[in-house]
Amino acid sequence: MARLAGVSRSAVSRAFTPGASISPDTRAKVEAAAAELGYHVNHLARGLMRQQTGIVCLIVADIHTPYLSRLLESLSRSLQEAGKVVMVLNAGRASGNVEGALRQTLNYRADATVVLSGTPYRSIAQSCLDSGQRLVLLNRDDHLPGTVNLSVDNARAARTAATLFLRAGYRRLALVTSGIGTPSLTARRDCFLATAKEAGAEVAVWEGGATAYESGLQGGTSLFSSDEPPDAIFAVTDLLACGVMDAVRHRFRRRVPDDVGVIGFDDIEQAGWASYDLTTFAQPVADITEWTVRLVADGIVEEPQDRVFEASLVWRASVARSL
Amino acid sequence: MARLAGVSRSAVSRAFTPGASISPDTRAKVEAAAAELGYHVNHLARGLMRQQTGIVCLIVADIHTPYLSRLLESLSRSLQEAGKVVMVLNAGRASGNVEGALRQTLNYRADATVVLSGTPYRSIAQSCLDSGQRLVLLNRDDHLPGTVNLSVDNARAARTAATLFLRAGYRRLALVTSGIGTPSLTARRDCFLATAKEAGAEVAVWEGGATAYESGLQGGTSLFSSDEPPDAIFAVTDLLACGVMDAVRHRFRRRVPDDVGVIGFDDIEQAGWASYDLTTFAQPVADITEWTVRLVADGIVEEPQDRVFEASLVWRASVARSL
DNA sequence: CTGAAAGCGCTTACAG
DNA sequence: CTGAAAGCGCTTACAG
């Protein structure tokens, strides 16, 4: 390559390094040769010398899920636009775990890794930090020193949900959540329960299954099979909420929002579909993305700070308007 | 590292190479040292020497879409289990294009790349091939020599859809498709139209927008605003079908399947939800995944062969049973 | 602005 | 089974 261009290896290196001091003339020669040979800088070799590879790893499970796939889309796009390249490490049950993914992260000398699902052990996370990685955790509540936590104000949203129901005149509240107690879901549950209690309202709780449509279907069915079914249900996730609504409507012929109010969380695309028209809280995907890029790609060095973003209420038609 | 273990660099290399000749004794020493130092083999450097990096790139747009995110999940999981690591290159409009993604593929010396969305130019695809990459294209109809095409039998499915409608007694057929003429969508449209024509049935066509729920909503609305609305609609995609159903039901108060039959394509999760219960064709995700892994990770060298998989009919409740 | 040299962290014949 | 040496494809001081 250098030979064909008639210059030194250094020169070709400089030709592909933005801002390197090289004359337009030699650059042209290099570019011509590159075009002829189909030459592409080997970023792996480059990463070996510079102290960065340009790789940022995204550790995630349940990619097929509406919220996570949207976050993945947003993150991958923005990271890419910031000049990074995204490695996706699937940490689902069947496909290895968070630890294995974190190890890959080390093997490929990622500049940074962001954990969307699961919680890493302290020890391996520390290894990542030690290797110079930036580590950002999304929606975890454990705080590892040196990492950054980006999260959502679950407490406030859950409180709002309870308040909304009460104000609209619903009295027999219920909560549907999955059996997988991630920090986010637990926070939503606890705050909803606490707010209801303060207001003197009882809350029926259904907890089980994965965070999926089927669980919502089950939960809704179970709740409505009791002697005194609820008249308002906070489903801790839109997927659950869709299941709940379908149970309520198709299995029990109840109307939403007249007979029963429903609130979800995430604002997945389906929440806006006419069949659901679900009142919910929108995940601050843009904020999460923006800050992740800032932390991970822009090399902000100032003491990394945790952030809590608001999940904004999206008013739709699954809750009766206050009287 | 080698020093701490008291062995040569070669020895530590062999300790991490499965099947290398090394005594249990020195392996133990190396492992102990590795644990103490938190050492992880640098796969980038390794990739420089061996002729493979272990990286396989997935080029994809619209990751947030139900079908694509499911395929991505399946592919990433299986590739990972086969010992590969997945790089996701977002080729959406706003985030660079297929060419840019393919260039990254070259920069990172991927062992293989699979194109889920978009069609690469011949020239750059050729560069990938020249660099020794395996290149698999999903659902494209252009055939680049040296690449493998994995696709779905769109023609047959579309023919089946038309036949099903006709047999069930529907007479005023319609087709809803997006304005983006990907090979798959075009094939579905053309075969549906041809089959209907053979049977002497006219088909109203609505074509526009992205392949999304909103387009379906629009298409359904437009079709039903005419003097003679259809009584059966083949939506070329489930997302479109959901939009169509919502338009039909919520805007025109028609019943599915009594007043109008609907068939979709993809079998996304939502197609199975009680609010839709959509008859559709299931994408052969398992087949696609299996063959991709086989081609990409298992190093099958035999002359690469294109494959066409069947999309199996999933009978649900959006089409009336034949009389 | 340019080139020769050293080095990034590995692996792989090659001897032993 | 093991080590010394060469080399993968780059970048980066260091002189000029």
Side-chain angles (χ1 to χ4, degrees), chain A residues 1 51 98 111 129 140 171 228 311:
Chain A
M1 169 67 197
Q51 234 23 327
V98 180
D111 293 343
L129 258 15
R140 303 288 114 205
R171 282 296 167 259
E228 204 165 295

Side-chain angles (χ1 to χ4, degrees), chain A residues 78-315:
Chain A
S78 296
L79 251 11
Q80 202 167 300
E81 278 164 5
K84 296 296 184 178
V85 92
V86 169
M87 205 167 244
V88 169
L89 271 14
N90 195 323
R93 331 162 215 60
S95 47
N97 46 27
V98 180
E99 310 313 314
L102 246 14
R103 221 164 293 128
Q104 284 292 44
T105 258
L106 255 14
N107 284 136
Y108 283 91
R109 299 298 190 267
D111 293 343
T113 114
V114 5
V115 180
L116 314 203
S117 309
T119 300
Y121 291 129
R122 237 185 175 63
S123 59
I124 179 93
Q126 192 57 52
S127 293
C128 292
L129 258 15
D130 291 346
S131 83
Q133 265 184 42
R134 250 189 176 346
L135 197 52
V136 1
L137 309 186
L138 266 28
N139 291 318
R140 303 288 114 205
D141 56 359
D142 54 338
H143 187 85
L144 303 181
T147 68
V148 183
N149 271 66
L150 261 28
S151 57
V152 174
D153 194 345
N154 294 296
R156 186 142 100 102
R159 236 172 346 241
T160 303
T163 307
L164 245 37
F165 279 151
L166 265 5
R167 248 190 233 151
Y170 297 108
R171 282 296 167 259
R172 298 186 311 282
L173 306 192
L175 176 92
V176 169
T177 185
S178 84
I180 320 173
T182 70
S184 297
L185 302 193
T186 306
R188 288 172 209 165
R189 182 195 60 193
D190 293 346
C191 289
F192 184 79
L193 258 28
T195 308
K197 186 172 224 175
E198 283 165 22
E202 286 295 309
V203 182
V205 174
W206 187 89
E207 189 159 353
T211 312
Y213 172 85
E214 282 71 26
S215 305
L217 214 50
Q218 264 186 261
T221 303
S222 160
L223 251 16
F224 271 79
S225 303
S226 87
D227 295 339
E228 204 165 295
D231 63 2
I233 305 178
F234 176 42
V236 115
T237 255
D238 282 356
L239 238 26
L240 291 169
C242 288
V244 165
M245 285 182 78
D246 280 348
V248 165
R249 284 173 169 164
H250 299 289
R251 296 190 177 168
F252 295 92
R253 301 288 152 200
R254 298 300 210 291
R255 290 163 310 160
V256 173
D258 312 278
D259 301 330
V260 31
V262 179
I263 297 182
F265 197 107
D266 281 347
D267 195 29
I268 63 177
E269 195 199 326
Q270 288 72 220
W273 289 6
S275 287
Y276 297 100
D277 211 3
L278 178 69
T279 295
T280 187
F281 296 90
Q283 287 274 7
V285 172
D287 290 328
I288 294 175
T289 301
E290 183 192 332
W291 277 92
T292 300
V293 171
R294 202 177 284 198
L295 290 165
V296 142
D298 299 351
I300 301 280
V301 190
E302 42 159 305
E303 196 51 28
Q305 279 216 282
D306 288 0
R307 303 265 155 189
V308 177
F309 303 109
E310 289 309 320
S312 55
L313 177 66
V314 181
W315 250 116

Side-chain angles (χ1 to χ4, degrees), chain B residues 12-30:
Chain B
V12 348
S13 174
R14 284 191 268 261
F16 292 105
T17 303
S21 67
I22 184 171
S23 71
D25 198 44
T26 56
R27 154 164 284 139
K29 277 194 284 190
V30 173

Side-chain angles (χ1 to χ4, degrees), chain A residues 9 13 39 42 45-46 49-50:
Chain A
R9 306 145 97 320
S13 173
Y39 170 84
N42 185 331
R46 170 179 279 183
M49 282 304 303
R50 309 234 242 249

